[in-house]
Amino acid sequence: MSYEWLALLAAALWACTSLISVTPSRVMGAFAYSRWRMGLVSLMLLSAALYNNQWQMISLSQAGLFALSGFIGVFVGDTALFACMNRLGPRRASLLFACHAAFSAFLGVWLFNEDLLGWPLLGAACLFLGVILAVSFGHRSEQHSWEKISGSVSIAVALGLTAALCQSLGTVMLKPLMSAPEYSAIDPVAGSALRMLSAFSAHFLLWLSGYKLARTLKPINSKLFVMVAANGFLAMAVGMTLMLFALRYGDVSVVALLSSTSPVLVLPLLWIVTKQAPTRSAWASASLCILGSALLIFG
């Protein structure tokens, strides 16, 4: 499977898991939900990495870079995203988070001299425009609880953009590790495990410090545990590992743009849950994203 399809598959997983995140994140709180999620994912990935026995392929300096990427992209980025989602709902939070594609494309061209010209450039423009239209005009009304705005909009926007920037930085800093021939032996599963362990360690230390926001709003129960575990497995254990494989073979800009299609993919899922059909502009945006993806993959 080519790296473009890996990035699209990761986007599809994130679209599904974004809806699973809404209830546990609001019930437990963004920090507590992220802490439980990252702890469970760390166990999953560590078990898989130990089974593969690929730790010896990662040097101490490389492990440090994976850990830093996890702190920025997962600890800060994911927590900010869930805090934003609690205030704006999954659709608007997706709009802000989709900006990571623009940040990553810019950093990819600037830092790695990646080409984004001709048909791929047109595809990128169609894709990003489609994402913006999908989450900006995705519903006819705001009757469902997921569409209600809670708290300060400016704070929510700042949280969403912070999440996007951190996701971009966390991804871009791993590009040299995952694509250089001398690092071809690095196992993406082991790399993902280091990222998750770093993020969970930061969350755990924050909880031990007694920081007020790190407290659990309501204790976890069996239903919430299943939702957190399922979300973590699909979004982080599988989705982020697919992203690392995609980064090994593809440009940062293209991988980021393709993975940003999750707001479009989430529209039919929101239709099922909220019983509100997306507007014509939402279907038009989906068409733009399909066209953009095709130009990026085949252009």
Side-chain angles (χ1 to χ4, degrees):
M1 185 181 292
S2 66
Y3 76 90
E4 295 96 340
W5 295 111
L6 293 175
L8 284 173
L9 183 55
L13 289 173
W14 293 339
C16 296
T17 55
S18 67
L19 301 188
I20 302 176
S21 295
V22 177
T23 298
S25 180
R26 289 184 173 181
V27 172
M28 300 171 63
F31 281 85
Y33 172 61
S34 296
R35 184 172 63 250
W36 272 93
R37 182 174 181 252
M38 293 171 194
L40 291 173
V41 174
S42 295
L43 288 176
M44 297 175 194
L45 289 172
L46 283 171
S47 300
L50 288 172
Y51 177 80
N52 291 334
N53 193 27
Q54 294 294 316
W55 291 107
Q56 66 272 19
M57 301 298 179
I58 301 178
S59 67
L60 186 61
S61 62
Q62 293 163 358
L65 190 57
F66 275 115
L68 180 60
S69 171
F71 178 83
I72 295 174
V74 184
F75 170 66
V76 180
D78 270 23
T79 306
L81 176 62
F82 293 132
C84 174
M85 187 181 297
N86 289 347
R87 290 165 170 79
L88 297 182
R91 183 170 64 89
R92 295 187 184 90
S94 296
L95 167 62
L96 294 165
F97 190 65
C99 293
H100 80 82
F103 294 144
S104 295
F106 173 75
L107 291 172
V109 173
W110 180 40
L111 296 176
F112 306 123
N113 297 316
E114 295 179 351
D115 293 326
L116 197 63
L117 302 172
W119 290 114
L121 179 61
L122 179 60
C126 290
L127 186 62
F128 199 58
L129 178 59
V131 169
I132 292 174
L133 287 175
V135 292
S136 298
F137 308 103
H139 288 281
R140 291 188 173 88
S141 65
E142 297 187 355
Q143 296 178 351
H144 196 273
S145 61
W146 287 2
E147 289 296 302
K148 294 179 180 178
I149 297 176
S150 175
S152 171
V153 174
S154 59
I155 292 177
V157 169
L159 287 169
L161 292 177
T162 298
L165 180 59
C166 289
Q167 166 72 9
S168 175
L169 291 172
T171 301
V172 166
M173 68 174 57
L174 292 181
K175 172 61 178 177
L177 275 184
M178 299 310 300
S179 62
E182 62 268 27
Y183 300 138
S184 60
I186 292 179
D187 179 26
V189 176
S192 292
L194 288 171
R195 295 183 80 230
M196 289 303 108
L197 190 59
S198 168
F200 173 69
S201 298
H203 260 298
F204 186 70
L205 291 174
L206 189 65
W207 176 72
L208 285 179
S209 73
Y211 181 55
K212 184 178 179 180
L213 289 178
R215 299 173 185 169
T216 305
L217 297 180
K218 292 185 179 180
I220 192 169
N221 54 38
S222 57
K223 181 180 178 181
L224 291 175
F225 181 85
V226 170
M227 295 175 73
V228 174
N231 180 285
F233 175 74
L234 294 174
M236 306 303 295
V238 180
M240 283 307 302
T241 302
L242 289 175
M243 274 287 289
L244 291 183
F245 274 110
L247 283 173
R248 169 166 287 176
Y249 302 110
D251 290 343
V252 168
S253 54
V254 176
V255 170
L257 287 164
L258 289 172
S259 65
S260 70
T261 58
S262 53
V264 176
L265 301 176
V266 83
L267 283 176
L269 300 176
L270 281 172
W271 187 0
I272 295 172
V273 173
T274 65
K275 304 298 190 292
Q276 296 176 0
T279 60
R280 292 180 180 177
S281 62
W283 296 119
S285 67
S287 300
L288 276 174
C289 283
I290 292 172
L291 175 61
S293 299
L295 290 174
L296 279 170
I297 294 173
F298 303 112

